[in-house]
Amino acid sequence: MATSTTSAASRDPLHGMTLERIVTALADHYGWAGLGERIPVRCFTHEPSVASSLKFLRKTPWAREKVEGLYLFMLRDIRRNEREA
């Protein structure tokens, strides 16, 4: 039974990812302005930083879900672009 749990976890792109790594990857990929356009929350639009974003996202489950969803979309988009190139 542990094998199926392990294999399912290994296929989950969020498995082992910290919120800090996710926010940093999104900010690197989209920039803070682009991130603020995609998820319009103050921590991305007004004096954004990884630290302020983490503080907000850890207290706000709906915003964290949006960030994780955007991260998964970004990964799919990157893979799609690599296949087309």
Side-chain angles (χ1 to χ4, degrees):
M1 192 78 134
T3 306
S4 64
T5 304
T6 304
S7 65
S10 65
R11 282 182 278 170
D12 179 6
L14 295 175
H15 181 75
M17 288 294 292
T18 64
L19 188 56
E20 181 176 7
R21 285 177 57 194
I22 291 171
V23 170
T24 301
L26 288 170
D28 289 346
H29 186 75
Y30 294 114
W32 288 110
L35 192 50
E37 288 173 12
R38 287 166 179 82
I39 305 174
V41 292
R42 189 169 177 83
C43 67
F44 296 150
T45 60
H46 294 82
E47 299 181 30
S49 72
V50 173
S52 69
S53 300
L54 292 175
K55 186 175 181 178
F56 174 75
L57 293 170
R58 286 182 178 133
K59 292 188 222 176
T60 318
W62 64 265
R64 183 178 181 144
E65 287 177 21
K66 287 186 176 282
V67 166
E68 290 172 347
L70 181 59
Y71 178 75
L72 294 173
F73 175 81
M74 179 191 77
L75 292 179
R76 285 190 304 269
D77 198 40
I78 289 170
R79 278 191 227 113
R80 188 178 316 116
N81 289 337
E82 286 174 351
R83 281 194 301 252
E84 291 174 0

Coordinates of all heavy atoms in Angstrom, one line a residue:
M1 N 0.8 -1.2 0.0 CA 0.0 0.0 0.0 C 0.9 1.3 0.0 O 0.5 2.2 -0.6 CB -0.9 0.0 1.2 CG -2.0 1.0 1.1 SD -3.3 0.5 0.0 CE -4.7 0.8 1.0
A2 N 2.0 1.2 0.7 CA 2.9 2.4 0.7 C 3.4 2.7 -0.6 O 3.7 3.9 -0.9 CB 4.0 2.1 1.7
T3 N 3.6 1.7 -1.5 CA 4.1 2.0 -2.8 C 3.2 2.9 -3.6 O 3.7 3.8 -4.3 CB 4.4 0.6 -3.6 OG1 5.2 -0.2 -2.7 CG2 5.1 0.9 -4.9
S4 N 1.9 2.6 -3.6 CA 1.0 3.4 -4.4 C 1.0 4.9 -3.8 O 0.9 5.8 -4.6 CB -0.4 2.8 -4.4 OG -0.9 2.8 -3.0
T5 N 1.1 5.1 -2.5 CA 1.1 6.4 -2.0 C 2.4 7.1 -2.4 O 2.4 8.3 -2.8 CB 1.1 6.3 -0.4 OG1 -0.1 5.6 0.0 CG2 1.0 7.7 0.2
T6 N 3.5 6.4 -2.4 CA 4.8 7.0 -2.8 C 4.8 7.4 -4.2 O 5.2 8.4 -4.6 CB 5.9 6.0 -2.5 OG1 5.9 5.7 -1.1 CG2 7.3 6.6 -2.8
S7 N 4.2 6.5 -5.1 CA 4.2 6.8 -6.5 C 3.3 7.9 -6.8 O 3.5 8.7 -7.7 CB 3.9 5.5 -7.4 OG 2.6 5.1 -7.1
A8 N 2.1 8.0 -6.1 CA 1.2 9.1 -6.3 C 1.8 10.4 -5.9 O 1.7 11.4 -6.6 CB -0.1 8.8 -5.5
A9 N 2.5 10.4 -4.8 CA 3.2 11.6 -4.3 C 4.3 12.0 -5.3 O 4.5 13.2 -5.5 CB 3.8 11.4 -2.9
S10 N 5.0 11.1 -5.9 CA 6.1 11.4 -6.8 C 5.6 12.1 -8.1 O 6.3 12.8 -8.7 CB 7.0 10.2 -7.1 OG 6.2 9.3 -7.8
R11 N 4.3 11.8 -8.4 CA 3.7 12.4 -9.6 C 3.1 13.7 -9.3 O 2.8 14.5 -10.3 CB 2.7 11.4 -10.2 CG 3.3 10.3 -11.0 CD 2.2 9.5 -11.6 NE 1.8 8.6 -10.5 CZ 0.7 7.8 -10.5 NH1 0.0 7.7 -11.5 NH2 0.5 7.0 -9.5
D12 N 2.9 14.1 -8.1 CA 2.4 15.4 -7.7 C 3.5 16.4 -7.8 O 4.4 16.4 -7.0 CB 1.8 15.3 -6.3 CG 1.2 16.6 -5.8 OD1 1.1 17.6 -6.6 OD2 0.9 16.7 -4.6
P13 N 3.3 17.4 -8.7 CA 4.4 18.4 -8.9 C 4.6 19.3 -7.6 O 5.6 19.9 -7.5 CB 3.9 19.3 -10.0 CG 2.7 18.6 -10.6 CD 2.2 17.5 -9.7
L14 N 3.6 19.3 -6.7 CA 3.7 20.1 -5.5 C 4.4 19.4 -4.4 O 4.8 20.0 -3.4 CB 2.3 20.6 -5.1 CG 1.6 21.6 -6.0 CD1 0.2 21.9 -5.5 CD2 2.4 22.8 -6.2
H15 N 4.5 18.1 -4.6 CA 5.1 17.2 -3.5 C 6.6 17.7 -3.3 O 7.4 17.7 -4.2 CB 5.1 15.8 -3.9 CG 5.7 14.9 -2.9 ND1 5.0 14.6 -1.7 CD2 6.8 14.2 -2.8 CE1 5.7 13.8 -1.0 NE2 6.9 13.5 -1.6
G16 N 6.9 18.0 -2.0 CA 8.2 18.4 -1.7 C 8.5 19.9 -2.0 O 9.6 20.3 -1.6
M17 N 7.6 20.6 -2.6 CA 7.8 22.0 -2.9 C 7.4 22.8 -1.7 O 6.3 22.7 -1.1 CB 7.0 22.4 -4.1 CG 7.5 21.9 -5.4 SD 9.1 22.5 -5.9 CE 8.8 24.2 -6.2
T18 N 8.3 23.8 -1.3 CA 7.9 24.7 -0.2 C 7.1 25.9 -0.9 O 7.3 26.2 -2.1 CB 9.1 25.2 0.5 OG1 9.9 26.0 -0.4 CG2 9.9 24.1 1.1
L19 N 6.4 26.5 -0.1 CA 5.6 27.7 -0.6 C 6.6 28.8 -1.0 O 6.4 29.5 -2.0 CB 4.7 28.3 0.5 CG 3.8 29.4 0.1 CD1 2.9 29.0 -1.0 CD2 2.9 29.8 1.3
E20 N 7.7 28.9 -0.3 CA 8.8 29.9 -0.7 C 9.3 29.6 -2.1 O 9.5 30.5 -2.9 CB 9.9 29.9 0.3 CG 11.0 30.9 0.0 CD 12.1 30.9 1.1 OE1 12.1 30.1 2.0 OE2 12.9 31.8 0.9
R21 N 9.6 28.3 -2.4 CA 10.1 28.0 -3.7 C 9.0 28.2 -4.8 O 9.4 28.7 -5.9 CB 10.5 26.5 -3.8 CG 11.8 26.2 -3.0 CD 12.2 24.8 -3.0 NE 12.4 24.2 -4.3 CZ 12.5 22.9 -4.5 NH1 12.4 22.1 -3.5 NH2 12.6 22.4 -5.7
I22 N 7.8 28.0 -4.5 CA 6.7 28.2 -5.5 C 6.6 29.7 -5.8 O 6.6 30.1 -6.9 CB 5.4 27.7 -4.9 CG1 5.4 26.1 -4.9 CG2 4.2 28.2 -5.8 CD1 4.2 25.5 -4.2
V23 N 6.6 30.5 -4.7 CA 6.4 32.0 -4.9 C 7.6 32.5 -5.7 O 7.5 33.4 -6.6 CB 6.3 32.7 -3.5 CG1 6.4 34.2 -3.7 CG2 4.9 32.4 -2.9
T24 N 8.8 32.1 -5.3 CA 10.0 32.5 -6.0 C 10.0 32.1 -7.5 O 10.4 33.0 -8.3 CB 11.3 31.9 -5.3 OG1 11.3 32.3 -3.9 CG2 12.6 32.4 -6.0
A25 N 9.6 30.9 -7.8 CA 9.5 30.5 -9.2 C 8.5 31.3 -9.9 O 8.8 31.7 -11.1 CB 9.2 29.0 -9.2
L26 N 7.4 31.6 -9.3 CA 6.4 32.4 -10.0 C 6.9 33.8 -10.3 O 6.7 34.4 -11.4 CB 5.1 32.4 -9.2 CG 4.3 31.1 -9.2 CD1 3.2 31.2 -8.2 CD2 3.7 30.8 -10.6
A27 N 7.5 34.4 -9.3 CA 8.0 35.8 -9.4 C 9.1 35.8 -10.4 O 9.2 36.8 -11.2 CB 8.5 36.3 -8.0
D28 N 10.0 34.8 -10.5 CA 11.0 34.7 -11.5 C 10.4 34.6 -12.9 O 10.9 35.2 -13.9 CB 12.0 33.6 -11.2 CG 12.9 33.8 -10.0 OD1 12.9 34.9 -9.5 OD2 13.5 32.8 -9.6
H29 N 9.4 33.8 -13.0 CA 8.8 33.5 -14.3 C 8.0 34.7 -14.9 O 8.1 35.1 -16.0 CB 8.0 32.2 -14.3 CG 7.4 31.8 -15.6 ND1 8.2 31.2 -16.5 CD2 6.2 31.9 -16.1 CE1 7.5 30.9 -17.6 NE2 6.3 31.3 -17.4
Y30 N 7.1 35.2 -14.0 CA 6.1 36.2 -14.4 C 6.5 37.6 -14.1 O 6.0 38.6 -14.6 CB 4.7 36.0 -13.8 CG 4.1 34.7 -14.3 CD1 3.8 33.6 -13.5 CD2 3.6 34.6 -15.6 CE1 3.2 32.5 -13.9 CE2 3.0 33.4 -16.1 CZ 2.8 32.4 -15.2 OH 2.2 31.2 -15.6
G31 N 7.4 37.7 -13.1 CA 7.7 39.1 -12.5 C 6.6 39.4 -11.5 O 5.5 38.9 -11.6
W32 N 6.9 40.3 -10.6 CA 5.9 40.7 -9.6 C 4.7 41.3 -10.2 O 3.6 41.1 -9.8 CB 6.5 41.6 -8.5 CG 7.5 40.9 -7.6 CD1 8.8 41.0 -7.5 CD2 7.2 39.9 -6.6 NE1 9.4 40.2 -6.6 CE2 8.3 39.5 -6.0 CE3 6.0 39.3 -6.2 CZ2 8.4 38.5 -5.0 CZ3 6.0 38.4 -5.2 CH2 7.2 38.0 -4.6
A33 N 4.9 42.2 -11.2 CA 3.8 42.8 -11.9 C 2.9 41.8 -12.6 O 1.7 41.9 -12.5 CB 4.3 43.9 -12.9
G34 N 3.5 40.9 -13.3 CA 2.7 39.8 -13.9 C 2.0 38.9 -12.9 O 0.9 38.5 -13.2
L35 N 2.7 38.7 -11.8 CA 2.0 37.8 -10.8 C 0.9 38.6 -10.2 O -0.2 38.0 -9.9 CB 3.1 37.5 -9.7 CG 2.8 36.5 -8.7 CD1 2.2 35.2 -9.3 CD2 4.0 36.2 -7.8
G36 N 1.0 39.9 -10.0 CA -0.1 40.7 -9.4 C -1.2 40.8 -10.4 O -2.4 41.0 -10.0
E37 N -1.0 40.8 -11.7 CA -2.1 40.8 -12.7 C -2.8 39.5 -12.7 O -4.1 39.5 -12.8 CB -1.5 41.0 -14.1 CG -1.0 42.4 -14.4 CD -0.3 42.5 -15.7 OE1 -0.4 41.6 -16.5 OE2 0.3 43.5 -15.9
R38 N -2.1 38.4 -12.5 CA -2.8 37.1 -12.5 C -3.5 36.7 -11.2 O -4.5 36.1 -11.2 CB -1.7 36.0 -12.8 CG -1.3 36.0 -14.3 CD 0.0 35.2 -14.5 NE 0.3 35.2 -15.9 CZ 1.0 36.2 -16.5 NH1 1.4 37.3 -15.8 NH2 1.3 36.1 -17.8
I39 N -2.9 37.2 -10.1 CA -3.5 37.0 -8.8 C -3.5 38.4 -8.1 O -2.5 38.7 -7.5 CB -2.8 35.9 -7.9 CG1 -2.7 34.6 -8.7 CG2 -3.5 35.8 -6.6 CD1 -1.9 33.6 -8.0
P40 N -4.5 39.2 -8.2 CA -4.5 40.5 -7.7 C -4.7 40.6 -6.2 O -5.8 40.9 -5.7 CB -5.7 41.2 -8.5 CG -6.6 40.1 -8.8 CD -5.8 38.9 -9.0
V41 N -3.6 40.4 -5.5 CA -3.6 40.5 -4.0 C -2.5 41.5 -3.7 O -1.5 41.6 -4.4 CB -3.5 39.2 -3.3 CG1 -4.7 38.3 -3.4 CG2 -2.2 38.5 -3.7
R42 N -2.7 42.3 -2.6 CA -1.8 43.3 -2.2 C -0.4 42.9 -2.1 O 0.5 43.6 -2.4 CB -2.3 44.0 -1.0 CG -1.6 45.2 -0.6 CD -2.4 46.0 0.5 NE -1.6 47.1 0.9 CZ -1.7 48.3 0.3 NH1 -2.5 48.5 -0.7 NH2 -1.0 49.3 0.8
C43 N -0.1 41.7 -1.6 CA 1.2 41.3 -1.4 C 2.0 41.1 -2.7 O 3.2 41.1 -2.7 CB 1.3 40.0 -0.5 SG 0.7 38.5 -1.4
F44 N 1.3 41.0 -3.8 CA 2.0 41.0 -5.1 C 2.0 42.3 -5.8 O 2.8 42.5 -6.8 CB 1.3 39.9 -6.0 CG 1.4 38.5 -5.5 CD1 0.3 37.6 -5.8 CD2 2.4 38.1 -4.8 CE1 0.4 36.3 -5.4 CE2 2.5 36.7 -4.3 CZ 1.4 35.9 -4.6
T45 N 1.1 43.2 -5.4 CA 1.0 44.5 -6.2 C 1.6 45.7 -5.5 O 1.9 46.7 -6.2 CB -0.5 44.8 -6.5 OG1 -1.2 44.9 -5.3 CG2 -1.1 43.7 -7.3
H46 N 1.7 45.7 -4.2 CA 2.2 46.8 -3.5 C 3.5 46.4 -2.7 O 3.4 45.7 -1.7 CB 1.2 47.4 -2.5 CG 0.0 48.0 -3.2 ND1 -1.0 47.2 -3.7 CD2 -0.3 49.3 -3.6 CE1 -1.9 48.0 -4.3 NE2 -1.5 49.2 -4.2
E47 N 4.6 46.9 -3.1 CA 5.9 46.6 -2.4 C 6.1 45.1 -2.2 O 6.2 44.6 -1.1 CB 6.1 47.4 -1.1 CG 6.0 48.9 -1.3 CD 6.2 49.6 0.0 OE1 6.9 49.1 0.9 OE2 5.7 50.7 0.1
P48 N 6.0 44.3 -3.3 CA 6.0 42.9 -3.2 C 7.4 42.3 -2.7 O 8.4 42.9 -3.1 CB 5.7 42.4 -4.6 CG 6.2 43.5 -5.5 CD 5.9 44.7 -4.7
S49 N 7.4 41.3 -1.9 CA 8.6 40.6 -1.5 C 8.2 39.1 -1.2 O 7.0 38.8 -1.0 CB 9.2 41.2 -0.3 OG 8.4 41.0 0.8
V50 N 9.1 38.2 -1.3 CA 8.8 36.9 -0.9 C 8.3 36.8 0.5 O 7.4 36.1 0.8 CB 10.1 36.0 -1.2 CG1 9.8 34.5 -0.7 CG2 10.4 35.9 -2.7
A51 N 9.0 37.5 1.4 CA 8.6 37.4 2.8 C 7.2 37.9 3.1 O 6.4 37.2 3.8 CB 9.6 38.2 3.7
S52 N 6.8 39.0 2.5 CA 5.4 39.5 2.7 C 4.4 38.6 2.1 O 3.3 38.3 2.6 CB 5.3 40.9 2.2 OG 5.3 41.0 0.8
S53 N 4.8 38.0 1.0 CA 3.9 37.1 0.3 C 3.7 35.8 1.1 O 2.5 35.3 1.3 CB 4.4 36.7 -1.1 OG 4.5 37.9 -1.9
L54 N 4.8 35.3 1.7 CA 4.7 34.1 2.5 C 3.8 34.3 3.7 O 3.0 33.5 4.1 CB 6.0 33.6 2.9 CG 6.9 33.1 1.8 CD1 8.3 32.7 2.3 CD2 6.3 31.9 1.1
K55 N 4.0 35.4 4.3 CA 3.2 35.8 5.5 C 1.7 35.8 5.2 O 0.9 35.2 5.9 CB 3.7 37.1 6.1 CG 3.1 37.5 7.4 CD 3.7 38.8 7.9 CE 3.1 39.2 9.2 NZ 3.6 40.4 9.8
F56 N 1.4 36.5 4.1 CA 0.0 36.5 3.7 C -0.6 35.2 3.3 O -1.7 34.8 3.7 CB -0.2 37.5 2.6 CG -1.6 37.6 2.0 CD1 -2.6 38.2 2.7 CD2 -1.8 37.0 0.7 CE1 -3.9 38.2 2.1 CE2 -3.1 37.0 0.2 CZ -4.1 37.6 0.9
L57 N 0.1 34.5 2.5 CA -0.3 33.2 1.9 C -0.5 32.1 3.0 O -1.4 31.3 2.9 CB 0.6 32.7 0.8 CG 0.6 33.6 -0.5 CD1 1.7 33.2 -1.4 CD2 -0.7 33.6 -1.2
R58 N 0.3 32.1 4.0 CA 0.2 31.1 5.1 C -1.1 31.4 5.9 O -1.6 30.4 6.5 CB 1.4 31.2 5.9 CG 2.6 30.6 5.2 CD 3.9 30.5 6.1 NE 5.0 29.9 5.4 CZ 6.2 30.3 5.3 NH1 6.5 31.5 5.9 NH2 7.1 29.7 4.6
K59 N -1.6 32.6 5.9 CA -2.8 32.9 6.7 C -4.0 32.9 5.8 O -5.1 33.0 6.3 CB -2.7 34.3 7.3 CG -1.6 34.5 8.3 CD -1.8 35.8 8.9 CE -0.5 36.5 9.2 NZ -0.6 37.8 9.7
T60 N -3.9 32.7 4.5 CA -5.0 32.9 3.6 C -5.1 31.7 2.6 O -4.5 31.7 1.6 CB -4.9 34.2 2.8 OG1 -4.4 35.2 3.7 CG2 -6.2 34.6 2.1
P61 N -5.9 30.7 3.0 CA -5.9 29.5 2.2 C -6.4 29.7 0.8 O -5.9 29.0 -0.1 CB -6.9 28.6 3.0 CG -6.9 29.1 4.4 CD -6.6 30.6 4.3
W62 N -7.4 30.5 0.6 CA -7.9 30.7 -0.8 C -6.8 31.3 -1.7 O -6.7 30.9 -2.9 CB -9.2 31.6 -0.9 CG -9.0 33.0 -0.4 CD1 -9.2 33.5 0.8 CD2 -8.5 34.1 -1.2 NE1 -8.9 34.8 0.9 CE2 -8.5 35.2 -0.4 CE3 -8.1 34.2 -2.5 CZ2 -8.1 36.5 -0.8 CZ3 -7.7 35.5 -3.0 CH2 -7.7 36.6 -2.1
A63 N -6.0 32.2 -1.2 CA -4.9 32.8 -2.0 C -3.8 31.8 -2.2 O -3.3 31.7 -3.3 CB -4.4 34.0 -1.3
R64 N -3.5 31.0 -1.2 CA -2.5 29.9 -1.4 C -2.9 28.9 -2.5 O -2.1 28.5 -3.3 CB -2.3 29.2 -0.1 CG -1.2 28.1 -0.2 CD -0.9 27.4 1.1 NE 0.2 26.5 0.9 CZ 1.1 26.2 1.8 NH1 1.1 26.8 3.0 NH2 2.0 25.4 1.6
E65 N -4.2 28.6 -2.5 CA -4.7 27.7 -3.6 C -4.6 28.3 -5.0 O -4.2 27.6 -5.9 CB -6.2 27.4 -3.3 CG -6.4 26.4 -2.2 CD -7.9 26.2 -1.9 OE1 -8.7 26.4 -2.8 OE2 -8.2 25.8 -0.8
K66 N -4.8 29.6 -5.1 CA -4.6 30.3 -6.4 C -3.2 30.3 -6.8 O -2.8 30.0 -7.9 CB -5.2 31.7 -6.3 CG -6.7 31.8 -6.3 CD -7.1 33.3 -6.4 CE -8.6 33.4 -6.4 NZ -9.1 33.1 -7.8
V67 N -2.3 30.5 -5.8 CA -0.8 30.5 -6.1 C -0.4 29.1 -6.6 O 0.3 28.9 -7.5 CB 0.0 31.0 -4.9 CG1 1.4 30.7 -5.0 CG2 -0.2 32.5 -4.7
E68 N -0.8 28.1 -5.8 CA -0.5 26.7 -6.2 C -1.1 26.3 -7.6 O -0.4 25.7 -8.4 CB -1.0 25.7 -5.2 CG -0.2 25.8 -3.9 CD -0.7 25.0 -2.7 OE1 -1.9 24.5 -2.8 OE2 0.0 24.8 -1.7
G69 N -2.3 26.8 -7.9 CA -2.9 26.5 -9.2 C -2.1 27.2 -10.3 O -1.9 26.6 -11.4
L70 N -1.7 28.5 -10.1 CA -0.9 29.2 -11.1 C 0.4 28.5 -11.3 O 0.9 28.4 -12.4 CB -0.7 30.6 -10.7 CG 0.1 31.5 -11.6 CD1 -0.6 31.6 -13.0 CD2 0.3 32.9 -11.1
Y71 N 1.0 28.0 -10.2 CA 2.3 27.3 -10.3 C 2.1 26.1 -11.2 O 3.0 25.8 -12.1 CB 2.8 26.9 -9.0 CG 4.1 26.2 -9.0 CD1 5.3 26.8 -9.3 CD2 4.2 24.8 -8.8 CE1 6.5 26.1 -9.3 CE2 5.3 24.1 -8.8 CZ 6.5 24.7 -9.1 OH 7.7 24.0 -9.1
L72 N 1.1 25.3 -11.0 CA 0.8 24.1 -11.8 C 0.6 24.5 -13.3 O 1.1 23.8 -14.2 CB -0.4 23.3 -11.3 CG -0.1 22.7 -9.9 CD1 -1.4 22.1 -9.4 CD2 1.0 21.7 -9.9
F73 N -0.1 25.6 -13.5 CA -0.4 26.1 -14.9 C 1.0 26.5 -15.5 O 1.2 26.1 -16.7 CB -1.3 27.3 -14.8 CG -1.5 27.9 -16.2 CD1 -2.4 27.4 -17.1 CD2 -0.8 29.0 -16.5 CE1 -2.5 27.9 -18.4 CE2 -0.9 29.6 -17.8 CZ -1.8 29.1 -18.7
M74 N 1.8 27.1 -14.8 CA 3.1 27.6 -15.3 C 3.9 26.3 -15.7 O 4.6 26.3 -16.8 CB 3.9 28.4 -14.2 CG 5.3 28.8 -14.6 SD 6.2 29.5 -13.3 CE 6.7 28.0 -12.5
L75 N 3.9 25.3 -14.9 CA 4.7 24.1 -15.2 C 4.2 23.4 -16.5 O 5.0 23.0 -17.3 CB 4.6 23.1 -14.1 CG 5.4 23.4 -12.8 CD1 5.2 22.3 -11.7 CD2 6.8 23.7 -13.0
R76 N 2.8 23.4 -16.6 CA 2.3 22.8 -17.8 C 2.6 23.6 -19.0 O 2.9 23.1 -20.1 CB 0.7 22.7 -17.7 CG 0.3 21.6 -16.8 CD -1.2 21.4 -16.9 NE -2.0 22.5 -16.6 CZ -2.5 22.9 -15.4 NH1 -2.2 22.1 -14.4 NH2 -3.2 24.0 -15.2
D77 N 2.6 25.0 -18.9 CA 2.9 25.9 -20.0 C 4.3 25.7 -20.4 O 4.7 25.7 -21.6 CB 2.6 27.3 -19.6 CG 2.4 28.3 -20.7 OD1 1.9 27.9 -21.7 OD2 2.9 29.4 -20.6
I78 N 5.2 25.6 -19.5 CA 6.7 25.4 -19.8 C 6.9 24.1 -20.5 O 7.6 24.1 -21.5 CB 7.5 25.5 -18.5 CG1 7.5 26.9 -17.9 CG2 8.9 25.0 -18.7 CD1 8.1 27.0 -16.5
R79 N 6.2 23.0 -20.0 CA 6.4 21.7 -20.7 C 5.8 21.8 -22.1 O 6.4 21.3 -23.1 CB 5.7 20.6 -19.9 CG 6.5 20.1 -18.8 CD 5.9 18.9 -18.2 NE 5.9 19.0 -16.8 CZ 4.8 19.1 -16.0 NH1 3.7 19.0 -16.5 NH2 5.0 19.3 -14.7
R80 N 4.7 22.5 -22.3 CA 4.1 22.6 -23.6 C 5.0 23.4 -24.6 O 5.2 23.0 -25.7 CB 2.7 23.3 -23.5 CG 1.9 23.3 -24.8 CD 0.6 24.0 -24.6 NE -0.1 23.6 -23.4 CZ -0.4 24.5 -22.4 NH1 -0.1 25.8 -22.4 NH2 -1.1 24.1 -21.3
N81 N 5.6 24.4 -24.1 CA 6.5 25.2 -24.9 C 7.7 24.5 -25.3 O 8.3 24.6 -26.4 CB 6.8 26.5 -24.2 CG 5.6 27.5 -24.2 OD1 4.7 27.4 -25.0 ND2 5.7 28.4 -23.2
E82 N 8.2 23.6 -24.4 CA 9.4 22.8 -24.6 C 9.2 21.8 -25.7 O 10.0 21.5 -26.6 CB 9.9 22.2 -23.4 CG 10.6 23.1 -22.4 CD 10.9 22.4 -21.1 OE1 10.5 21.3 -20.9 OE2 11.6 23.1 -20.3
R83 N 8.0 21.2 -25.7 CA 7.6 20.2 -26.7 C 7.5 20.9 -28.1 O 7.8 20.3 -29.1 CB 6.3 19.5 -26.4 CG 6.4 18.5 -25.3 CD 5.2 17.6 -25.3 NE 4.0 18.4 -24.9 CZ 3.4 18.3 -23.8 NH1 3.8 17.5 -22.8 NH2 2.3 19.1 -23.5
E84 N 7.0 22.1 -28.1 CA 6.8 22.8 -29.4 C 8.1 23.3 -30.0 O 8.2 23.5 -31.2 CB 5.8 24.0 -29.2 CG 4.4 23.5 -28.9 CD 3.5 24.7 -28.6 OE1 3.9 25.9 -28.6 OE2 2.3 24.5 -28.3
A85 N 9.1 23.5 -29.2 CA 10.3 24.1 -29.7 C 11.2 23.0 -30.3 O 11.1 21.9 -30.3 CB 11.1 24.7 -28.5

